[in-house]
């Protein structure tokens, strides 16, 4: 029987790096191999008790019907109170995680052939929603300067064409760990305004920063930039709620309405009781966020300490998020080849930097979203593999 053809847009898609590696992991595990994963960005903390209790309370109170398609008003009001600049009735949209927010924004904003500026190395799951929306990816290379990945305006200008409509920015920046400074964001913001672009600002790691690095949202820089920004966020990282699939977007009313039309056709949003729990997360005690940030700080220090002093690599200490990039360029071997050897010969799973674009070649991404014995054993295996 001949194969049934799929759409040209679907034929452009590729599995994400994590899903591709997971397939390799499952195959090795089926062969009886034991592996330690330092790959995924899934917090290993339990969702804080007061958030879980809010969901349980909502369930007992019968909060299981259809939610308001824009998001329950108390939830939107809690988001607006956090952000300060937005009308909860017209400028806040509740989504099933940040992933759907990105999809809705790109679908609402892009016409066929419109280009999206995408700094790289970057989280590779951004690629597919751009392509599905009919967009064209315009990669913007970055460089490692003074131990951190940096993005300069000259690179943005070189990549920008008359077809560019959107720029997608992630700060703290997955996978690099860079937290853009105010000065860097101001320069990017001026570029966005100069070229009449829309900025998609993915801020899901906003609460996880280290030392004197502080997350700054582009919406705080000027009313002019805020009027051209779609802010995207979720509860997965800050509140250890990855499986709850709760997120939100904030944007000018015309953009939010367009995104709402996309959402109506493809999602009913998070369950009502999930929205009640997320409202509690924003309005309830925040000491749980500080506790998790401190633990990530300790894990970051462990990664930097345990992988220091090797001729084969250096740790680019992350300024935010829970991934550390290892510079392995001294090995003069493709990062995916090294990643495979580490998994097959040493039993530790990481992600190769080239999965995130050419600027990531010569690096590996190491996750410390999980700690304890998993992190200890994983770092031991990783160091042994790199030293060999």
């Amino acid at each position: 029987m001949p194969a049934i053809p799929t759409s040209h847009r679907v034929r452009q898609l590729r599995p994400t790096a994590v899903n591709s590696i997971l397939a390799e992991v499952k195959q090795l595990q089926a062969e009886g191999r034991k592996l330690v994963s330092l790959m995924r960005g899934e917090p290993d903390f339990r969702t804080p008790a007061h958030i879980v209790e809010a969901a349980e309370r909502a369930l007992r109170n019968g909060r299981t019907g259809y939610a308001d398609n824009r998001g329950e008003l108390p939830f939107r009001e809690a988001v607006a109170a956090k952000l300060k600049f937005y009308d909860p009735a017209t400028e806040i949209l509740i989504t099933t995680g940040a992933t759907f927010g990105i999809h809705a924004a790109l679908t609402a904003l892009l016409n066929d052939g419109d280009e999206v500026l995408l700094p790289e190395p970057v989280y590779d799951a951004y690629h597919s929603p751009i392509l599905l929306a009919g967009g064209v990816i315009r990669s913007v290379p970055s460089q490692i300067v003074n131990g951190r990945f940096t993005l300069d305006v000259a690179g943005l200008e070189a990549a920008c064409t008359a077809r560019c409509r959107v720029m997608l920015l992630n700060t703290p920046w997955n996978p690099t760990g860079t937290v853009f400074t105010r000065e860097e964001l101001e320069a990017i913001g001026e570029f966005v305004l100069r070229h009449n672009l829309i900025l998609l600002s993915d801020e899901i790691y906003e609460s996880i920063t280290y030392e004197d690095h502080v997350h700054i949202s582009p919406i705080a820089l000027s009313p002019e930039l805020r009027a051209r920004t779609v802010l995207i966020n979720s509860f997965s990282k800050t509140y250890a709620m990855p499986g709850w699939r709760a997120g939100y977007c904030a944007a000018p009313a015309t953009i939010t309405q367009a995104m709402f039309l996309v959402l109506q056709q493809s999602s009913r949003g998070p369950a009502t009781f999930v929205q009640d729990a997320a409202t509690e997360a924003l309005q309830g005690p925040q000491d749980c966020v500080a506790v998790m940030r401190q633990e990530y700080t300790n894990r970051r220090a462990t990664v930097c300490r345990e992988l220091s002093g090797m001729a084969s690599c250096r740790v680019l200490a992350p300024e935010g998020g829970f991934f550390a990039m290892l510079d392995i360029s001294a090995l003069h071997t493709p990062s995916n080849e090294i990643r495979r050897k580490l998994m097959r010969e040493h039993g530790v799973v990481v992600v190769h930097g080239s999965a995130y674009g050419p600027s990531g070649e010569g690096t590996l991404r190491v996750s410390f979203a999980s700690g304890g014995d998993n992190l200890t054993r994983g770092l031991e295996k990783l160091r042994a593999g790199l030293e060999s």
Side-chain angles (χ1 to χ4, degrees):
M1 179 177 177
I4 297 174
T6 55
S7 75
H8 72 279
R9 288 184 178 175
V10 168
R11 289 197 296 272
Q12 298 179 83
L13 307 184
R14 298 291 181 270
T16 63
V18 166
N19 279 311
S20 295
I21 295 170
L22 280 174
E24 295 181 43
V25 167
K26 290 176 181 177
Q27 179 60 43
L28 289 174
Q29 289 174 332
E31 297 170 4
R33 298 287 304 279
K34 294 189 181 300
L35 304 173
V36 179
S37 178
L38 300 179
M39 175 180 64
R40 300 200 73 174
E42 181 176 0
D44 63 346
F45 299 97
R46 290 194 173 191
T47 303
H50 66 286
I51 299 173
V52 175
E53 289 163 6
E56 293 173 342
R57 186 165 57 249
L59 284 166
R60 287 194 297 271
N61 291 336
R63 296 277 289 154
T64 57
Y66 285 128
D68 184 325
N69 220 182
R70 285 184 180 272
E72 294 293 278
L73 182 58
F75 188 11
R76 284 183 279 137
E77 289 174 336
V79 172
K82 173 183 183 290
L83 299 178
K84 299 182 173 63
F85 299 120
Y86 295 92
D87 178 359
T90 62
E91 297 181 315
I92 303 293
L93 187 66
I94 302 305
T95 60
T96 46
T99 300
F100 188 83
I102 291 166
H103 163 76
L106 291 167
T107 303
L109 291 169
L110 295 180
N111 293 309
D112 286 348
D114 284 347
E115 296 178 349
V116 178
L117 290 169
L118 193 61
E120 54 95 351
V122 75
Y123 178 53
D124 60 321
Y126 290 142
H127 293 159
S128 291
I130 294 172
L131 299 174
L132 286 171
V136 176
I137 298 167
R138 294 285 295 177
S139 295
V140 184
S142 62
Q143 305 82 34
I144 299 175
V145 179
N146 296 325
R148 71 193 288 267
F149 278 87
T150 61
L151 184 69
D152 62 29
V153 172
L156 290 170
E157 293 285 0
C160 191
T161 75
R163 294 302 306 268
C164 287
R165 176 158 171 75
V166 169
M167 177 177 174
L168 204 161
L169 191 71
N170 179 213
T171 181
W173 181 3
N174 175 18
T176 71
T178 294
V179 176
F180 289 107
T181 66
R182 177 174 290 274
E183 292 72 23
E184 289 171 327
L185 286 172
E186 286 174 345
I188 292 169
E190 290 170 3
F191 166 82
V192 166
L193 295 175
R194 187 163 60 251
H195 290 275
N196 205 32
L197 303 175
I198 302 296
L199 180 66
L200 266 58
S201 182
D202 181 351
E203 304 181 15
I204 64 171
Y205 295 97
E206 63 172 350
S207 69
I208 307 170
T209 59
Y210 307 110
E211 297 176 344
D212 57 349
H213 301 286
V214 178
H215 170 262
I216 299 170
S217 174
I219 67 170
L221 298 182
S222 73
E224 294 78 15
L225 186 58
R226 186 161 66 250
R228 302 199 66 82
T229 297
V230 180
L231 183 150
I232 297 165
N233 212 327
S234 83
F235 291 72
S236 296
K237 316 302 183 184
T238 298
Y239 296 102
M241 297 173 65
W244 295 71
R245 308 315 304 142
Y248 60 86
C249 300
T254 53
I255 297 178
T256 302
Q257 178 60 25
M259 294 173 62
F260 179 42
L261 291 173
V262 174
L263 184 146
Q264 289 178 54
Q265 315 309 320
S266 46
S267 171
R268 295 297 179 191
T272 313
F273 59 89
V274 168
Q275 295 194 41
D276 290 355
T279 304
E280 173 64 22
L282 290 177
Q283 295 180 333
Q286 301 298 302
D287 53 330
C288 56
V289 178
V291 168
M292 287 187 278
R293 183 190 299 114
Q294 183 57 56
E295 173 59 20
Y296 288 133
T297 300
N298 296 340
R299 295 177 187 179
R300 171 184 181 266
T302 298
V303 171
C304 292
R305 181 182 66 251
E306 295 302 318
L307 299 179
S308 67
M310 286 189 288
S312 57
C313 83
R314 63 170 175 148
V315 182
L316 306 181
E319 300 167 350
F322 39 56
F323 305 109
M325 295 294 273
L326 304 186
D327 181 351
I328 54 167
S329 56
L331 294 175
H332 304 292
T333 305
S335 59
N336 197 27
E337 184 178 330
I338 293 173
R339 190 270 307 170
R340 284 199 173 101
K341 286 186 176 181
L342 288 168
M343 181 174 66
R344 294 177 178 278
E345 298 177 15
H346 299 276
V348 60
V349 185
V350 295
V351 183
H352 49 296
S354 61
Y356 303 112
S359 295
E361 184 52 273
T363 66
L364 300 172
R365 191 190 78 168
V366 177
S367 172
F368 50 93
S370 292
D373 185 58
N374 186 83
L375 183 61
T376 299
R377 290 188 297 114
L379 292 176
E380 288 174 354
K381 290 176 178 291
L382 181 57
R383 183 176 185 110
L386 291 171
E387 286 183 330
S388 69

